[in-house]
Amino acid sequence: MSLYYYKDMFKVQDLEQAKNIILTEEQQGGDYRQRWERETEYMKTLFAGGLGDLSGKTVLDFGCGIGRLSKALLEQYDCRVLGVDISPEMRRMAAEYVNSDRFSVISYEMFCALAERGGLKADCAIAVYVLQHVFDPAHDIKLLSRAVADKLLVLNLKHRAVPVIDSENGRKKFYIDEQPEASADVAALLEQQFTALSELELAAEKISVVTKHWCRVYGKKESK
């Protein structure tokens, strides 16, 4: 079986479809509209507790989608936000949704090119419901370590759910990382590149199916 990353999973036609992909419906957490309102506001609390005052700083929003959390950051702090996303449709929507001169968005390919050459440096970064979906987390985490000067906040599933397509039958699905051949411990990979600073307790009434998630703050690992 040959599996390939299916980035068209994040191809969307309009804002509502984008929101539904970014925050899917959960049996215990309500539909995406309810999650959008509840979780977006709650993330401001996690940002404050985990990253501190971001005023005057540049924040990298890795996997920004249409800019849900970029917009929240700009509402909360006098900061600048650079979004990164793999979906060209979501990037186009993000500029209009965030609607701020303190926000810009680039493609994943541009992020990789800049980070690999040391041409991108943000004070802090966030990766919310993102690293669970990437095809090669070791690669992306290494680039994040090059792009972040101080802290990284990660909110993630305890397992991975990677969108893939089977080249033999064209079947599209989320490939769950419970299968050994796809295994990758995102938390362990993060600790190879960063220093774990703190674990943030998640409020069950705010995050859907809270037992499936973890949230940690990482710091820049000192060079030996």
Side-chain angles (χ1 to χ4, degrees):
M1 179 172 60
S2 299
L3 298 177
Y4 296 94
Y5 191 67
Y6 182 58
K7 70 176 185 178
D8 281 353
M9 183 76 75
F10 306 107
K11 188 173 184 178
V12 294
Q13 300 299 320
D14 54 43
L15 195 65
E16 287 303 303
Q17 187 182 9
K19 288 183 176 182
N20 195 17
I21 288 178
I22 293 167
L23 291 178
T24 56
E25 182 174 344
E26 296 282 359
Q27 188 174 3
Q28 299 177 34
D31 66 21
Y32 70 91
R33 296 182 184 88
Q34 294 170 316
R35 291 188 64 196
W36 193 274
E37 295 299 322
R38 183 181 69 248
E39 293 191 27
T40 303
E41 191 62 29
Y42 176 61
M43 287 305 304
K44 294 181 181 181
T45 302
L46 293 180
F47 295 153
L51 300 175
D53 186 2
L54 295 173
S55 296
K57 296 185 177 181
T58 298
V59 184
L60 181 71
D61 184 356
F62 187 69
C64 68
I66 64 168
R68 173 177 75 104
L69 298 178
S70 295
K71 187 178 181 72
L73 284 165
L74 294 171
E75 290 172 348
Q76 189 174 13
Y77 303 106
D78 182 20
C79 63
R80 298 167 297 277
V81 180
L82 177 64
V84 177
D85 204 84
I86 198 169
S87 166
E89 294 82 12
M90 290 201 191
R91 293 198 302 271
R92 286 193 291 270
M93 293 179 194
E96 182 176 356
Y97 183 78
V98 180
N99 190 26
S100 173
D101 291 336
R102 292 184 285 127
F103 172 77
S104 188
V105 60
I106 59 175
S107 67
Y108 172 74
E109 290 78 9
M110 182 64 76
F111 165 76
C112 291
L114 292 173
E116 285 171 355
R117 293 165 176 77
L120 176 62
K121 190 67 71 175
D123 295 295
C124 295
I126 61 172
V128 177
Y129 300 141
V130 176
L131 294 176
Q132 63 205 30
H133 295 317
V134 302
F135 192 72
D136 186 355
H139 171 265
D140 290 357
I141 290 168
K142 186 174 183 179
L143 291 186
L144 281 170
S145 74
R146 295 182 181 180
V148 177
D150 189 8
K151 295 179 181 178
L152 166 68
L153 183 147
V154 177
L155 174 56
N156 213 60
L157 279 171
K158 292 179 180 178
H159 64 264
R160 291 205 303 156
V162 183
V164 294
I165 183 168
D166 190 331
S167 62
E168 295 180 3
N169 56 29
R171 184 183 175 194
K172 307 173 186 69
K173 61 180 179 178
F174 276 108
Y175 198 54
I176 304 300
D177 219 19
E178 295 165 352
Q179 302 178 48
E181 62 270 29
S183 63
D185 187 334
V186 170
L189 291 170
L190 281 161
E191 292 199 24
Q192 289 178 14
Q193 302 294 333
F194 293 90
T195 298
L197 300 177
S198 62
E199 179 135 9
L200 302 183
E201 184 176 353
L202 297 172
E205 71 276 12
K206 300 296 184 180
I207 298 293
S208 296
V209 200
V210 69
T211 55
K212 293 183 178 180
H213 298 87
W214 53 264
C215 185
R216 297 188 187 114
V217 178
Y218 297 87
K220 190 76 173 179
K221 183 168 284 190
E222 294 183 7
S223 301
K224 296 182 180 181

